[in-house]
Amino acid sequence: GAGVSQSPSNKVTEKGKDVELRCDPISGHTALYWYRQSLGQGLEFLIYFQGNSAPDKSGLPSDRFSAERTGGSVSTLTIQRTQQEDSAVYLCASSFMGQDTQYFGPGTRLTVL
Amino acid sequence: DAKTTQPPSMDCAEGRAANLPCNHSTISGNEYVYWYRQIHSQGPQYIIHGLKNNETNEMASLIITEDRKSSTLILPHATLRDTAVYYCIVRVAFLSRAAGNKLTFGGGTRVLVKP
């Protein structure tokens, strides 16, 4: 079946611009996660949505980062006033509620010039 | 979640079994061992997980020592497409988790399968 999809696959933007990254989780998965991976680094947790519960935003690095999940499905990660240090691959994952196995999308490579 | 230790890199020959070790000496009784891998330019991929019994699926086998302080991921017949970074993660079962559900990835083992 269809896996987690993310768009765009690549995004190049100028410093100071806002960007939106999209994630379509696997159908039926109630949990959705955002991570980022800087060049040569490990994965860094950003935010977690579970059903209708309040999201766990503990990993967001600054108030320039926000995310929403509409209708319990698609999620958008927004980065305002992008900085060069925001350059990374942004990964989305989803899972069934109560299950620990997370299924990752291919990621969006963000480059801030 | 307990800390894990993995060798930073290892090579293996195509067609041979690849044995990837992981130490997790501080693991608790309700913590599972998970393995993921990340092929270059792709998102992480779930491989297998277990609590205390050995597990096998179509991708790999997971051998957990009796004291659960270490485990080994076995790729029975490594192919060039198995070249990736392999991550061993220990985490409390979902229902026992007090808060948060993030995966914490360490450095992993960079596996290079050679022809």
Side-chain angles (χ1 to χ4, degrees), chain A residues 31 33 35 37 41-43 45 48 50 56 58 91 95-107 109, chain B residues 32 34 36 38 40-46 49 87 91-95 97 99-106:
Chain A
Y33 318 77
Y35 297 83
Q37 188 171 31
Q41 301 297 310
L43 272 76
F45 167 77
Y48 158 59
Q50 174 62 278
D56 175 0
S58 60
L91 291 154
S95 70
F96 283 111
M97 180 178 178
Q99 293 189 9
D100 277 333
T101 302
Q102 296 183 18
Y103 297 88
F104 285 79
R109 181 175 298 277
Chain B
Y32 285 75
Y34 276 79
Y36 283 76
Q38 188 171 23
H40 183 62
S41 297
Q42 296 183 23
Q45 177 188 23
Y46 165 80
H49 74 282
Y87 297 98
R91 62 203 307 250
V92 176
F94 182 88
L95 294 178
R97 192 166 302 125
N101 205 38
K102 60 185 178 183
L103 283 172
T104 302
F105 288 77

Side-chain angles (χ1 to χ4, degrees), chain A residues 25-45:
Chain A
I26 292 173
S27 177
H29 281 190
T30 57
L32 186 147
Y33 318 77
W34 283 97
Y35 297 83
R36 75 174 175 181
Q37 188 171 31
S38 301
L39 186 63
Q41 301 297 310
L43 272 76
E44 175 189 4
F45 167 77

Side-chain angles (χ1 to χ4, degrees), chain B:
Chain B
D1 296 333
K3 178 179 169 57
T4 63
T5 303
Q6 299 177 254
S9 64
M10 63 183 292
D11 294 346
C12 63
E14 184 180 21
R16 305 293 291 269
N19 297 290
L20 282 62
C22 180
N23 286 324
H24 31 80
S25 58
T26 61
I27 193 170
S28 300
N30 63 349
E31 289 185 308
Y32 285 75
V33 180
Y34 276 79
W35 284 83
Y36 283 76
R37 73 179 181 182
Q38 188 171 23
I39 295 170
H40 183 62
S41 297
Q42 296 183 23
Q45 177 188 23
Y46 165 80
I47 301 174
I48 199 167
H49 74 282
L51 183 62
K52 56 182 179 181
N53 297 322
N54 297 337
E55 302 288 344
T56 296
N57 63 19
E58 66 278 4
M59 290 182 68
S61 294
L62 174 61
I63 308 299
I64 302 174
T65 58
E66 190 169 345
D67 63 7
R68 304 209 320 123
K69 293 183 183 299
S70 65
S71 61
T72 301
L73 179 74
I74 301 173
L75 308 177
H77 305 287
T79 71
L80 299 180
R81 287 176 294 181
D82 291 323
T83 292
V85 179
Y86 287 76
Y87 297 98
C88 171
I89 300 167
V90 169
R91 62 203 307 250
V92 176
F94 182 88
L95 294 178
S96 301
R97 192 166 302 125
N101 205 38
K102 60 185 178 183
L103 283 172
T104 302
F105 288 77
T109 296
R110 189 172 297 275
V111 174
L112 176 61
V113 180
K114 296 182 175 180

